[in-house]
Amino acid sequence: MHLEILSPENKIFEGEVNSVIFPGSNGKFQILNNHAPLISFLNKGEIIYDKNNKTEKLLISGGVVEIIKNKVSALIEVIPN
């Protein structure tokens, strides 16, 4: 599936992934290929995605995610380092 992670400042990631875990408003949830359409608010936490059998993590302070036809678009606020 195709994942795109955007912040107000820039595009953080765009590419093919096997799975994504988001910090939803009601707890963590995972997205896999062929997931049903969904829009959800995101809470403070980690986005965890599997790219080429390597796990990547991104700390966020909140945002929103939309899933439609194997395209996952996350609009997020990044926690500064």
Side-chain angles (χ1 to χ4, degrees), residues 4-14:
E4 186 175 41
I5 302 174
L6 304 167
S7 75
E9 293 80 27
N10 60 4
K11 185 182 293 187
I12 295 168
F13 175 80
E14 182 173 13

Side-chain angles (χ1 to χ4, degrees), residues 9-52:
E9 293 80 27
N10 60 4
K11 185 182 293 187
I12 295 168
F13 175 80
E14 182 173 13
E16 296 300 312
V17 298
N18 297 321
S19 66
V20 188
I21 298 173
F22 289 105
S25 55
N26 291 323
K28 292 181 182 180
F29 63 95
Q30 184 176 33
I31 305 298
L32 299 170
N33 252 348
N34 300 315
H35 196 283
L38 173 75
I39 295 177
S40 177
F41 288 109
L42 301 175
N43 282 350
K44 182 177 180 178
E46 285 184 323
I47 296 176
I48 304 168
Y49 55 97
D50 179 29
K51 177 185 78 167
N52 298 327

